[in-house]
Amino acid sequence: MARAPLATAPAGRRPDASLGTVAALRRASQNLNAVIRQALKEHGLVDSLEVTHPILVNRDLTRSQRGHARNYEVGNVVRFTRGSGRMEVEKGAYAVVERADSDAGRLSVVLNDGRRLDYSPKRLSGVEVFRSEQRKFAAGDRIQFRAPEQALGLANGEFATIVTIDERTARICTEDGRIVEAHANRLRHIDYGYASTSHSSQGATADRVIVNIDTMRSAELVNRKQFYVSISRARHGIASIPRTESDYAKLSIEAARSRWLWSGFG
């Protein structure tokens, strides 16, 4: 079954892949991303010349958590989704946490324009909180936008493939075939698109889906809803595979040569 897509790949041609993994946990999707990408690099489907690029990973704090200074970390990036006229903070502005005083319940942040702002997060909780991380990207990498990028005409959850990339700009090819040139600051809300959580995979479809469900997980992570989210990504067919990461790595090479979206838990 897993060898079937291999035969359909035109020789010497980079595959047009609808490739991803749906995992119940973000940590699982990150692990799978690393394994899949390494396998694709070894087979020459992702360029060996890489560029280190900073991205923002949403910490997924609840509204209640965002209202308490103790839940922020120095270096976190805050995006103001509402803004504040009184504090002269525009909607969509970014700031970096410089100090989080849990005793006083205050945050000190530095805005993009260099201004410093000291405030109580209880009074300004209309924010998203991110952790800055580094990723290595190269031509051939499949990426997913984890937030809408209106300037590029890309929606949250949309996939694209990197055509070229350097420290300042990247050219990407969207799923509908558009070639888009983007400055690095427009690519903060991206990550590898080989594996994603069940939440961020909603809306994505492929002709066939390979689903793996780790029954060692608790009922909160593996249940009917999670199963439905995974299998509903398929247009025509569903298959199951073993749950080990090495099996995913082998399958990724074959899946990259056809229109497969494969998914798994764990």
Side-chain angles (χ1 to χ4, degrees):
M1 184 262 305
R3 288 288 173 187
L6 200 58
T8 65
R13 177 178 165 187
R14 183 178 293 278
D16 177 21
S18 177
L19 176 63
T21 300
V22 181
L25 294 174
R26 176 173 290 170
R27 180 176 298 176
S29 73
Q30 291 174 336
N31 291 341
L32 289 169
N33 266 319
V35 172
I36 295 165
R37 186 174 184 271
Q38 181 59 34
L40 294 173
K41 284 180 62 180
E42 290 172 357
H43 285 72
L45 299 176
V46 172
D47 200 341
S48 60
L49 184 61
E50 300 175 324
V51 173
T52 301
H53 178 74
I55 68 166
L56 298 178
V57 178
N58 201 317
R59 292 189 57 203
D60 293 326
L61 299 183
T62 65
R63 181 179 179 84
S64 175
Q65 289 172 327
R66 296 194 302 268
H68 297 278
R70 65 175 178 269
N71 295 315
Y72 292 75
E73 302 168 357
V74 173
N76 279 171
V77 177
V78 177
R79 179 177 180 269
F80 296 92
T81 56
R82 295 179 184 174
S84 170
R86 182 174 62 85
M87 296 183 182
E88 298 183 345
V89 176
E90 294 184 357
K91 177 181 178 180
Y94 289 83
V96 178
V97 176
E98 192 174 55
R99 182 169 58 88
D101 190 335
S102 57
D103 293 333
R106 309 281 298 180
L107 288 180
S108 294
V109 301
V110 179
L111 294 158
N112 278 354
D113 59 11
R115 289 185 296 127
R116 282 178 165 76
L117 181 66
D118 185 272
Y119 69 98
S120 167
K122 287 186 177 181
R123 302 180 65 85
L124 195 59
S125 60
V127 301
E128 291 180 297
V129 185
F130 302 91
R131 181 180 291 110
S132 181
E133 296 185 5
Q134 300 288 325
R135 294 286 188 274
K136 292 182 178 180
F137 292 109
D141 263 325
R142 179 173 169 82
I143 59 174
Q144 183 182 30
F145 283 79
R146 301 299 172 88
E149 186 51 69
Q150 295 180 354
L152 303 179
L154 292 165
N156 181 33
E158 196 162 346
F159 293 94
T161 301
I162 295 176
V163 180
T164 61
I165 186 170
D166 58 32
E167 288 77 8
R168 294 186 298 177
T169 60
R171 293 176 69 240
I172 61 175
C173 181
T174 65
E175 292 282 271
D176 58 7
R178 290 187 298 125
I179 300 295
V180 178
E181 185 163 337
H183 192 274
N185 64 7
R186 295 287 183 189
L187 299 175
R188 289 181 287 188
H189 296 283
I190 64 170
D191 209 337
Y192 298 128
Y194 308 113
S196 56
T197 62
S198 55
H199 175 74
S200 62
S201 74
Q202 296 184 48
T205 56
D207 290 343
R208 293 167 289 179
V209 173
I210 301 176
V211 181
N212 176 267
I213 298 177
D214 185 352
T215 55
M216 299 299 290
R217 299 291 184 184
S218 67
E220 287 76 15
L221 295 178
V222 180
N223 51 42
R224 183 178 298 179
K225 181 178 179 180
Q226 291 284 358
F227 183 67
Y228 174 77
V229 168
S230 294
I231 65 173
S232 62
R233 303 307 99 208
R235 296 188 186 95
H236 305 307
I238 305 163
S240 62
I241 61 170
R243 62 179 289 270
T244 65
E245 290 183 349
S246 60
D247 287 319
Y248 280 112
K250 294 174 184 176
L251 185 65
S252 67
I253 303 305
E254 296 158 1
R257 303 176 191 272
S258 68
R259 297 289 297 177
W260 284 63
L261 172 71
W262 45 284
S263 62
F265 298 104

